[in-house]
Amino acid sequence: MSLSKQKKSLLFLLSSVKYSISMEENDHLIINHSQTNLNENISLTIKTTSNSSQDHPSLHIRMPNIKVFGGSSHPELTKLICARLGLEPGRVITKKFSNRETSVEINESVRGEDVFIVQSGCGEINDNLMELLIMINACKIASASRVTAVIPCFPYARQDRKDKSRAPISAKLVANMLSVAGADHIITMDLHASQIQGFFDIPVDNLFAEPAVIRWISLHIPDFKNAVIVSPDAGGAKRVTSIADRLNIDFALIHKERKRANEIDSMVLVGDVTKRIAILVDDMADTCGTFECASQKLLSAGASKVYAICTHGIFSGPAVSRINNSPFEAVVVTNTIPQEENMKNSNKIQVIDVSMMFSEAIRRTHNGESVSYLFTQMPL
């Protein structure tokens, strides 16, 4: 596309909103909103390439009408997301009354704004969930044009089905609560079961940590071509086959039977790991009982080294001590949950930063772009 055609395209696209446009000699556009009550300038840069098949204008625009607020569950992740977006975190005060009720104060206008609220399902889960619901409702009744809940680790995701008599489907209840509070859109990562998206009547973008995991393996395991991707249970078979296919290596899985929650009865390895690096991959690690038993099983089957990678490192109860006493070379998690304290207590725990995936999802959602690129690629 020629430069003149690009100019015409931009003029046509911007004609619906009253802007005045001037073109400088270095192809830098200055766009001024014609309404007197808005004195914002938006700078755009057109980059042209010699390859006509890849010709398209690249527009660098400051995102207007967007606010990103963070709850008290993971303030560091909120700061990282805002830093990548070039925004300041929204001003909000969260506190507890003496009777332990949650109080939220939104200290800036959100009228007509596209609001994103970052709150992970970790720590004091029930308090953080209630805080998220109150923040959503506070923004909604303050005339926010859209409220998106960014929930890196979805709470109650393991209670997604009625597996015994009188068992609740708590993940469905959480979905209903978020919708009733006023959420218009959900962004999350690696749901325990993808079907949880069906509990909502609003759009849900379930991002995958897979691109970040693949990048970590290729950069930090020199002999990864001699590795085997292992699922610690049959439910994760689809996840490990996808990673193994993209790395062009083999996979295996472990069939486990539980006596009760968080207690493993027996494990059976399906696949060959003899004299090879075994990389356990799962969506979450709670007490690490599964990882501990799986690592012993893999070593007894002849694996030379064992790594563990999971998206959500919950690490409750004896998890950290089990990691320290385990034969793992490293236990790698993303920062959907804060890991600062756990890293102080164990030198085996390493963290992959996924803030760029959430910030890019927020940017694309705000601009009305597709987020499907993030399902297979990791933004730099």
Side-chain angles (χ1 to χ4, degrees):
M1 184 185 292
S2 67
L3 184 59
S4 60
K5 287 183 179 179
Q6 290 177 355
K7 295 177 189 175
K8 290 178 182 178
S9 298
L10 283 172
L11 287 167
F12 176 77
L13 288 170
L14 294 164
S15 62
S16 58
V17 289
K18 298 177 181 178
Y19 288 103
S20 63
I21 304 175
S22 61
M23 172 68 73
E24 297 180 355
E25 291 182 359
N26 60 354
D27 299 332
H28 190 74
L29 271 69
I30 303 298
I31 301 180
N32 298 306
H33 201 285
S34 63
Q35 295 182 11
T36 57
N37 63 334
L38 289 177
N39 57 353
E40 60 178 316
N41 294 332
I42 305 175
S43 296
L44 297 88
T45 303
I46 297 180
K47 294 180 181 178
T48 57
T49 60
S50 58
N51 188 347
S52 59
S53 65
Q54 296 179 351
D55 259 352
H56 64 277
S58 176
L59 307 181
H60 302 281
I61 308 177
R62 185 187 70 80
M63 296 190 299
N65 307 114
I66 179 172
K67 294 285 175 65
V68 179
F69 294 95
S72 57
S73 66
H74 201 343
E76 186 60 33
L77 181 61
T78 304
K79 291 176 183 176
L80 290 171
I81 290 171
C82 289
R84 292 187 67 90
L85 291 171
L87 301 171
E88 288 293 325
R91 297 192 302 273
V92 59
I93 297 175
T94 59
K95 58 186 178 182
K96 291 281 194 300
F97 292 121
S98 58
N99 65 349
R100 307 307 297 164
E101 284 185 1
T102 299
S103 170
V104 173
E105 296 177 13
I106 307 294
N107 284 339
E108 57 185 278
S109 173
V110 295
R111 183 177 295 274
E113 301 282 346
D114 193 5
V115 174
F116 294 83
I117 301 172
V118 182
Q119 182 83 310
S120 198
C122 58
E124 298 291 334
I125 292 178
N126 295 327
D127 285 349
N128 290 335
L129 176 59
M130 194 66 204
E131 182 180 282
L132 173 61
L133 297 172
I134 295 172
M135 290 178 72
I136 291 170
N137 190 250
C139 292
K140 198 67 179 178
I141 63 177
S143 301
S145 84
R146 178 175 62 178
V147 180
T148 300
V150 181
I151 313 173
C153 180
F154 194 84
Y156 292 90
R158 285 176 285 184
Q159 300 182 42
D160 61 338
R161 64 191 182 279
K162 196 179 176 82
D163 57 352
K164 55 187 175 184
S165 299
R166 297 171 296 282
I169 307 177
S170 303
K172 169 66 173 172
L173 176 61
V174 172
N176 289 342
M177 291 164 67
L178 289 166
S179 298
V180 171
D184 301 298
H185 182 205
I186 305 294
I187 298 175
T188 186
M189 178 171 277
D190 274 350
L191 287 169
H192 189 62
S194 295
Q195 295 88 329
I196 292 175
Q197 295 172 86
F199 293 165
F200 291 89
D201 293 323
I202 57 176
V204 177
D205 286 320
N206 180 31
L207 306 178
F208 302 128
E210 179 182 306
V213 169
I214 290 171
R215 186 180 180 199
W216 189 93
I217 291 172
S218 60
L219 291 176
H220 294 87
I221 303 179
D223 196 22
F224 75 90
K225 287 296 183 182
N226 188 40
V228 179
I229 306 295
V230 184
S231 172
D233 55 42
K238 184 177 179 181
R239 183 182 301 108
V240 299
T241 53
S242 177
I243 294 173
D245 287 344
R246 291 188 62 183
L247 290 172
N248 195 27
I249 57 179
D250 294 333
F251 72 93
L253 64 88
I254 295 173
H255 174 67
K256 66 182 179 184
E257 295 179 355
R258 292 185 185 273
K259 291 185 290 186
R260 59 182 67 88
N262 293 328
E263 289 189 29
I264 309 300
D265 186 21
S266 63
M267 283 189 159
V268 178
L269 175 64
V270 181
D272 182 22
V273 296
T274 306
K275 296 182 180 179
R276 304 174 77 180
I277 300 170
I279 306 173
L280 281 162
V281 177
D282 207 354
D283 65 318
M284 65 173 61
D286 190 351
T287 61
C288 290
T290 299
F291 274 178
E292 183 183 41
C293 294
S295 65
Q296 298 294 343
K297 186 71 179 178
L298 291 167
L299 286 176
S300 64
S304 59
K305 294 180 181 178
V306 182
Y307 292 83
I309 303 176
C310 68
T311 306
H312 310 298
I314 300 170
F315 298 149
S316 63
V320 174
S321 62
R322 283 175 171 171
I323 290 172
N324 288 332
N325 296 326
S326 71
F328 288 120
E329 299 292 321
V331 175
V332 184
V333 296
T334 70
N335 60 341
T336 56
I337 294 174
Q339 299 296 338
E340 288 78 11
E341 287 301 317
N342 293 327
M343 292 177 71
K344 290 177 184 177
N345 296 323
S346 175
N347 58 10
K348 291 186 178 182
I349 297 175
Q350 300 182 27
V351 175
I352 301 173
D353 181 17
V354 291
S355 62
M356 70 287 292
M357 301 189 76
F358 287 105
S359 60
E360 182 66 9
I362 289 172
R363 188 194 68 79
R364 287 171 177 260
T365 299
H366 176 66
N367 292 333
E369 302 172 17
S370 171
V371 300
S372 59
Y373 169 85
L374 298 174
F375 297 158
T376 56
Q377 304 295 327
M378 185 175 179
L380 299 176

